[in-house]
Amino acid sequence: MDFPSFYVTVYNVVWHKKIPIRRPSPAFSCCVCPCCGNLTHRKTRRACEPLMIFIFRTNPLYRVHLDYLEAGANILITASYQATIQGFESRGFSREESEALLRRSVELACEARGIFQGRRLRGSDRCSKDGISSKQHPVLIAASIGSYGAYLADGSEYSGNYGLEVTLETLKDFHRRRLQVLSEAGADIIAFETIPSKIEAQAYIELLQECNIKIPVWFSFTSNDGINIVSGDSLMDCASIADSCDNVVAIGFNCTSPRYIHSLILSIRKLTEKLILIYPNSGESYDPDKKEWVASNGVSGEDFVSYVSKWHEAGASLIGGCCRTTPNTIRAIAKALRKDFHPSKPDEELHNDIERNILKDSFLIDSA
């Protein structure tokens, strides 16, 4: 099955529209950090713990989900990329409260899906303004798990350099309970995102087996040269680790410059027969010291979208946008691919296939 278009992570959007949030007690004015989703003090812009906005006010979050669905997205990724039990506990939340917040990230995405599909169904035989009926627009929920570096919020998710004291067992202990909670929260798939190193990929694989995770997962690495993973680890080694696990249904890259994507697709095609997913960023670079995105060899929205057909022809089945992309990016991606896709299965069959982890059937979506 092919998913031509999807959106990724709420925190990539709020750069373009900061959402003011007030914490009930004690009250203070803050906004969502435009670069990583952390809460930031409005006056000082100092990064706070990555407590996602669903803790304080849920309406803006599912409205953002809805914006992407209306733009043509087929997969909603939960706002749990930087949400960790350890981070919540450091801010005074109990273990039970921390786990409940993780579950809530999935619930909010599910609620947005329900609202969206309800609107489509109330239109009955009419298609939406984008020409797509509800049966042609299935929506899956992917529970996001960011790397250990995302929790550190020091930019190390873009290097994989955690220091010698961080071992395989350290990473497994860190990720274990979050993976268990999110896998049981009602998502359709687990999204391991922005994986920077071979050792973290290995930690995920071992946890999938040790925790007996039943739902499908995808592995998405990041690269800064189009050849290796950002840590310098071999793409072949990392892809082989992901390919060895039956739970893994797709392998690819996110938060990587668009100019590297085509060569990465061609390389990974030689290493796996699983679905290939790509959701690059705008091409800008993240400065971990300033905690902001800075201009580099980025591309305009038009240039970004101009690559889409080439990426699809090269073998990418799941295509989206990561940091510094917007609903307009997704809308343009979906429009570019619409002419190549036709629906072949209703939504219910798609979910049955996902649950059974059967990927041999082709599912083509006419996305707008």
Side-chain angles (χ1 to χ4, degrees):
M1 57 193 154
D2 292 336
F3 302 98
S5 172
F6 66 100
Y7 103 87
V8 291
T9 48
V10 168
Y11 58 83
N12 298 329
V13 177
V14 292
W15 172 271
H16 303 275
K17 184 179 180 182
K18 294 187 178 73
I19 304 171
I21 306 160
R22 290 192 180 274
R23 184 170 183 168
S25 177
F28 66 96
S29 181
C30 58
C31 63
V32 179
C33 176
C35 48
C36 60
N38 292 354
L39 290 182
T40 325
H41 192 275
R42 181 171 296 282
K43 292 183 177 179
T44 64
R45 291 291 190 265
R46 287 183 293 105
C48 305
E49 282 293 325
L51 305 180
M52 308 308 288
I53 62 176
F54 60 81
I55 302 176
F56 307 104
R57 186 178 176 192
T58 61
N59 285 347
L61 182 51
Y62 77 73
R63 283 206 302 268
V64 174
H65 282 312
L66 285 170
D67 284 346
Y68 279 93
L69 289 174
E70 292 293 346
N74 300 113
I75 300 177
L76 295 180
I77 298 185
T78 62
S80 54
Y81 174 79
Q82 279 188 303
T84 65
I85 293 171
Q86 296 87 340
F88 290 135
E89 288 181 332
S90 73
R91 303 299 291 181
F93 291 87
S94 69
R95 173 58 63 97
E96 292 73 21
E97 290 170 331
S98 300
E99 293 181 3
L101 288 169
L102 288 175
R103 295 187 188 96
R104 185 62 180 147
S105 70
V106 177
E107 292 168 1
L108 284 168
C110 290
E111 289 171 12
R113 173 173 63 183
I115 292 169
F116 175 77
Q117 292 178 331
R119 290 175 181 174
R120 290 293 174 104
L121 289 174
R122 283 194 293 275
S124 63
D125 295 332
R126 299 197 312 272
C127 289
S128 68
K129 62 184 178 181
D130 55 21
I132 302 174
S133 70
S134 59
K135 288 187 177 181
Q136 293 173 307
H137 198 136
V139 178
L140 300 180
I141 306 301
S144 172
I145 293 181
S147 67
Y148 181 67
Y151 159 72
L152 297 176
D154 60 359
S156 58
E157 65 201 282
Y158 300 114
S159 69
N161 183 14
Y162 302 152
L164 296 177
E165 67 277 9
V166 177
T167 66
L168 178 67
E169 292 304 316
T170 304
L171 294 172
K172 288 169 63 176
D173 290 342
F174 173 80
H175 288 296
R176 180 176 287 105
R177 185 56 187 157
R178 177 168 59 154
L179 172 59
Q180 291 172 329
V181 170
L182 288 173
S183 68
E184 297 169 357
D188 300 296
I189 192 166
I190 295 290
F192 292 113
E193 301 189 274
T194 325
I195 306 171
S197 64
K198 176 181 175 180
I199 189 174
E200 197 143 23
Q202 185 63 45
Y204 291 147
I205 290 296
E206 293 187 15
L207 285 176
L208 289 171
Q209 297 168 346
E210 293 171 12
C211 299
N212 196 26
I213 302 301
K214 299 296 186 182
I215 68 173
V217 308
W218 79 47
F219 272 49
S220 186
F221 299 93
T222 184
S223 172
N224 57 15
D225 63 4
I227 301 172
N228 298 309
I229 308 305
V230 290
S231 62
D233 290 333
S234 161
L235 169 59
M236 178 179 295
D237 290 345
C238 293
S240 296
I241 289 172
D243 190 62
S244 68
C245 180
D246 291 339
N247 282 69
V248 178
V249 297
I251 305 172
F253 289 86
N254 74 291
C255 218
T256 296
S257 175
R259 67 182 181 273
Y260 297 133
I261 294 298
H262 187 257
S263 63
L264 289 168
I265 294 171
L266 296 180
S267 296
I268 209 165
R269 277 183 58 186
K270 302 173 184 177
L271 306 173
T272 184
E273 294 184 358
K274 298 181 188 290
L275 296 177
I276 296 174
L277 75 153
I278 54 101
Y279 43 116
N281 58 32
S282 65
E284 295 163 282
S285 299
Y286 180 64
D287 185 325
D289 296 321
K290 296 181 179 179
K291 293 191 178 299
E292 63 183 24
W293 289 90
V294 296
S296 57
N297 292 322
V299 296
S300 68
E302 293 78 10
D303 290 338
F304 183 107
V305 173
S306 71
Y307 293 130
V308 169
S309 293
K310 183 178 181 181
W311 293 337
H312 177 235
E313 291 171 2
S317 297
L318 294 90
I319 300 174
C322 198
C323 293
R324 302 280 283 158
T325 64
T326 71
N328 286 335
T329 309
I330 297 303
R331 184 174 289 108
I333 290 173
K335 183 178 180 180
L337 293 171
R338 187 195 311 181
K339 63 180 180 298
D340 298 326
F341 288 88
H342 304 281
S344 63
K345 288 186 181 180
D347 198 10
E348 312 85 73
E349 290 186 43
L350 169 62
H351 281 280
N352 289 338
D353 278 359
I354 285 289
E355 290 171 4
R356 292 194 303 265
N357 194 19
I358 297 175
L359 295 174
K360 60 185 178 181
D361 293 332
S362 175
F363 184 77
L364 305 178
I365 300 174
D366 183 8
S367 188

